[in-house]
Amino acid sequence: MPDFVELPSRGVLSVVGPDARKFLQGLVSNDVERVAPDRTIHAAFLTAQGKYLFDFMIAEVDGALLLDCEADRLADFQKRLKLYKLRSDVTVEDVSAKFRVLVITGDDASKKLGLNAEAGMAKAVEGGVVFTDPRHAGLGARAIIGTDKLEGFIAARDLTESTQEAYDLARIKLGVPDGSRDMQLEKTILLEAGFDELNGVDWKKGCYMGQELTARTKYRGLVKRRLMPVRILDGEMPAPGTPVMRDDREVGEIRSGAGTMALAMLRVNVLEDLEHAVLSAGGSTILPEKPDWATF
């Protein structure tokens, strides 16, 4: 039986108008032209220097492009998008009150929602859309559902409520970042956070803000740090921001955590010998665990 977790930490922006796709296409890291009623994408909005500012899912619902993004930072994101509107015939609106964002997990969650298990596959439902997480199918499905349809959606699919911690633990084990909890604003480069392997960058689309540094980082092999799951072998969960040490040398920093797992931004050279890369953070012993999808 699938489980669901409602994510109050997520909000929804609506981008509509004749120029909506063209407008976003010039700003974000993925190909907006691929978004359709049966396809969603994950993308990022960067600084002009190619550093992380926002990331989000883009789904199509009744002709509108809905951006599933961080609720606490939604107003800032909306403001920044409007700065680039210029003469584009497009409206950017906060519709968070009209929608709720859920994750649906469990054995064959996507299949039981009538979805192909391929990352990004989507299906319209009454009051919104369900889709296999476009970053990694192992994260299950997400749903953007009309607030007034939420109870009926849950009941019709016999979903059982789970916890945010359970979802975070599954996410962290897979090495998937959760926005600004794991990526530093105006500092993190997309390839440090796995956006290439996690379907967040399209290398064939036209120009977008921050593209030059992103492409240079990939083709010149300039990634020196990577976000990595780490297991807490003993001790307490280190707080976010705790330095990661190897002997007396600082080699990274803890980000979000759940259960006995956390994400940490680590120097790549530390990860070259994972069998012997036992590290410490805040008095706890930690061990990096490279995800299957990571190609470095």
Side-chain angles (χ1 to χ4, degrees):
M1 183 181 300
D3 299 324
F4 80 93
V5 181
E6 185 174 351
L7 300 179
S9 60
R10 307 297 289 184
V12 181
L13 280 177
S14 169
V15 181
V16 297
D19 298 333
R21 289 176 184 268
K22 181 179 179 181
F23 168 69
L24 286 177
Q25 186 76 328
L27 294 175
V28 309
S29 64
N30 214 334
D31 185 0
V32 181
E33 295 299 334
R34 296 176 61 229
V35 179
D38 64 352
R39 170 71 67 175
T40 60
I41 63 170
H42 179 230
F45 179 98
L46 308 175
T47 68
Q49 294 74 36
K51 304 299 179 65
Y52 171 80
L53 277 175
F54 305 94
D55 71 304
F56 39 88
M57 318 293 174
I58 307 179
E60 182 178 340
V61 175
D62 296 331
L65 297 178
L66 297 186
L67 279 57
D68 162 2
C69 52
E70 290 185 71
D72 289 348
R73 304 182 60 236
L74 184 147
D76 185 22
F77 187 25
Q78 181 182 17
K79 180 180 178 180
R80 289 176 187 264
L81 288 176
K82 287 183 175 180
L83 286 175
Y84 292 94
K85 179 181 174 181
L86 302 178
R87 296 180 181 179
S88 298
D89 188 355
V90 62
T91 300
V92 181
E93 181 184 2
D94 180 358
V95 293
S96 300
K98 299 178 182 178
F99 292 96
R100 293 292 181 268
V101 178
L102 311 178
V103 291
I104 299 107
T105 60
D107 294 339
D108 298 326
S110 293
K111 183 177 180 181
K112 290 178 180 178
L113 292 170
L115 289 168
N116 185 318
E118 179 186 345
M121 296 304 292
K123 178 183 176 182
V125 295
E126 184 178 1
V129 60
V130 293
F131 52 95
T132 304
D133 195 301
R135 298 168 296 180
H136 193 295
L139 286 169
R142 290 175 84 93
I144 303 174
I145 299 296
T147 301
D148 60 341
K149 305 291 185 182
L150 180 61
E151 289 187 9
F153 174 82
I154 293 169
R157 289 155 183 84
D158 198 23
L159 302 180
T160 302
E161 188 166 11
S162 185
T163 65
Q164 174 77 49
E165 184 173 17
Y167 171 67
D168 272 339
L169 181 57
R171 173 186 63 79
I172 290 167
K173 284 181 177 179
L174 280 173
V176 178
D178 182 25
S180 59
R181 295 174 68 193
D182 296 308
M183 295 177 283
Q184 290 181 300
L185 304 183
E186 301 187 41
K187 291 185 178 180
T188 297
I189 298 169
L190 291 188
L191 273 66
E192 294 175 337
F195 267 68
D196 189 2
E197 300 101 319
L198 293 170
N199 309 313
V201 182
D202 188 291
W203 301 105
K204 297 180 181 179
K205 65 169 286 186
C207 294
Y208 60 90
M209 193 161 61
Q211 180 193 30
E212 183 177 353
L213 181 137
T214 305
R216 188 167 66 244
T217 302
K218 177 177 175 66
Y219 296 119
R220 294 186 182 179
L222 300 175
V223 179
K224 297 181 179 180
R225 307 185 306 163
R226 285 295 299 244
L227 201 62
M228 174 70 55
V230 296
R231 184 173 299 277
I232 315 301
L233 298 180
D234 61 59
E236 300 296 322
M237 171 66 68
T242 302
V244 175
M245 309 296 294
R246 185 167 191 174
D247 299 324
D248 59 352
R249 182 167 62 99
E250 185 173 332
V251 295
E253 181 182 278
I254 295 292
R255 301 294 166 80
S256 66
T260 59
M261 298 292 296
L263 286 179
M265 186 66 79
L266 300 174
R267 290 185 175 275
V268 171
N269 57 8
V270 172
L271 304 173
E272 294 172 352
D273 184 18
L274 282 179
E275 290 185 7
H276 302 95
V278 178
L279 312 173
S280 64
S284 298
T285 304
I286 64 175
L287 178 67
E289 296 186 352
K290 184 178 178 179
D292 292 342
W293 54 260
T295 57
F296 61 93

